[in-house]
Amino acid sequence: MSQRGFVEQWQLRAAFARSLSDMYGTEVPAYTTLLEVSHEVNADVMAADADAAQRLGSIDRVTAERHGAIRLGTPAEMQQVARVFGAIGMHPVGFYDLREAATSAVPVVSTAFRPIEAEELARNPFRVFTSVITSSDRRFFSPDLQQRLQNFLGRREIFPPELLDLADRAEAERGLPSDEAQRFLELATAVFELSPEPVDRAWYDELEQVSAVAADIGGVGSTHINHLTPRVLDIDALYERMQARGITMIDDIQGPPRWEGPDVLLRQTSFRALAEPRTFRMPDGSITQDALRVRFGEVEARGIALTRAGRDIYDNAIVEAKRLGAERGITSAEGRQEVLRELWRRDFPSTEDGLAERGLAYFTHGVDGAGNPTRTPIVYEDFLPASAAGIFQSNLTSDGSKDTTQEATALDADWMAGALGRDLHDPFDLYAAQESASRAALDHRTARSSP
Ligand code: OOG
Ligand code: NI
């Protein structure tokens, strides 16, 4: 029970997710359509079979579930955002190198902030995919451009000191008194609003030559939420209904195919980035109106978390599907789904039992009311680099440029942990710990109840 007038971390997290969602809905009206259609689809899936629909999380959790995506400029900004997320019980998990996963120029590396304990995820699973520009990577930025980019980024202040102070208090005290909680929510939401400040046209365009993502991050004096993604229980139905409402979707649903066996990992799709009015300062000092297309609307369906062995099968299947698709001259999204289904039928067991027996997925173990053993799949809480790259790319207006004769800067999970000044959790370790905790609790129970 929360003490009167004190807002606990999970309540702050849930309130922040709602506040961002309300703000983003006023900025991007198509997002509101996406939410409406998601609710319709989820209601239909629930009506058809409520138990099956809630196999991977209660409908309350799924309805409130969102992930955000943000893009930052420097290790210092990453460290600050980690304090803001730390305040609301979200911790950095996983390292994603989109420079390698993307074929067009996407000069970022990323992590995801999210709750890491099962109870916290059940209370509110809000997560944010957080990327930082790799300004030291010579394939994208010359020494001169790197210097100017770093100077520009070094001058901006994204997180006001008052917000960071409140964040540190909330993290230390595991929540905030309600007045301070309110202030924290206001300040934190404002950080991710689209700024009306004029954008320096020449600087933005120079960065856009390198990469639209670089311009979106380093071409402006603030940051903004790029997308906010609801979870649906039937992503194919959602895709069709969005198209029927006249909203243009990207060609594919990324990730695993729709098939008759268990859903694993994550399936995602998005509507195309929309033209949004922005103000520019031209080289002659005049102010003009134009539009930018950087923000899009994404939606996702979640499946069972795979072990490393399961993940290897997944990664190989995605690569092989690409190769087969090219070899067979396949050009349609449905054709690509067919190839994936063929590989899934070949490589993945068609039942949860099969996944468990072959050690390909994570489950918790328990007993039901009658003392019979039960096994419940653990839902995948993370992201997929190939899908993330696909989503980034399908929404870029140009490929940008990447000088592949240059050496890549080595940036890895350790670099990310150093930038954040915090431990970076490994997603596989978290799922494995959850599985073994459930086994330990079960052994304990069995030991107690045996004579
Ligand atoms: C992040 C793209 C990745 C996902 O769901 O995989 C992502 C971005 O566009 O900033 O959000
Ligand atoms: Ni996303």
Short mmCIF file of all heavy atoms in Angstrom, two decimals, residues 67 227 229 268 298, ligand 2:
data_model
loop_
_atom_site.label_atom_id
_atom_site.label_comp_id
_atom_site.label_asym_id
_atom_site.label_seq_id
_atom_site.Cartn_x
_atom_site.Cartn_y
_atom_site.Cartn_z
N HIS A 67 5.91 1.16 -25.62
CA HIS A 67 7.34 1.49 -25.58
C HIS A 67 7.55 2.79 -26.34
O HIS A 67 6.87 3.06 -27.33
CB HIS A 67 8.23 0.35 -26.08
CG HIS A 67 8.49 0.31 -27.54
ND1 HIS A 67 8.07 -0.72 -28.35
CD2 HIS A 67 9.17 1.16 -28.37
CE1 HIS A 67 8.45 -0.49 -29.60
NE2 HIS A 67 9.12 0.64 -29.64
N HIS A 227 8.58 7.82 -31.37
CA HIS A 227 7.32 7.11 -31.49
C HIS A 227 6.96 6.50 -30.14
O HIS A 227 7.81 6.39 -29.26
CB HIS A 227 7.35 6.05 -32.60
CG HIS A 227 8.40 4.99 -32.43
ND1 HIS A 227 9.64 5.05 -33.05
CD2 HIS A 227 8.41 3.84 -31.73
CE1 HIS A 227 10.34 3.97 -32.74
NE2 HIS A 227 9.62 3.21 -31.93
N THR A 229 4.73 3.16 -28.84
CA THR A 229 4.20 1.96 -29.48
C THR A 229 3.28 1.18 -28.58
O THR A 229 3.69 0.71 -27.52
CB THR A 229 5.40 1.08 -29.88
OG1 THR A 229 6.21 1.84 -30.79
CG2 THR A 229 4.98 -0.21 -30.53
N GLN A 268 6.71 -6.42 -35.26
CA GLN A 268 6.49 -4.97 -35.26
C GLN A 268 6.20 -4.45 -36.65
O GLN A 268 6.72 -4.95 -37.64
CB GLN A 268 7.75 -4.24 -34.78
CG GLN A 268 8.19 -4.58 -33.38
CD GLN A 268 9.50 -3.89 -33.03
OE1 GLN A 268 10.50 -4.12 -33.69
NE2 GLN A 268 9.48 -3.06 -32.02
N GLU A 298 4.36 3.21 -34.47
CA GLU A 298 4.71 1.80 -34.53
C GLU A 298 3.75 1.02 -33.65
O GLU A 298 3.15 1.57 -32.73
CB GLU A 298 6.15 1.67 -34.02
CG GLU A 298 6.76 0.30 -34.14
CD GLU A 298 8.07 0.24 -33.36
OE1 GLU A 298 8.10 0.70 -32.20
OE2 GLU A 298 9.04 -0.28 -33.89
NI NI B 2 9.97 1.15 -31.49
#
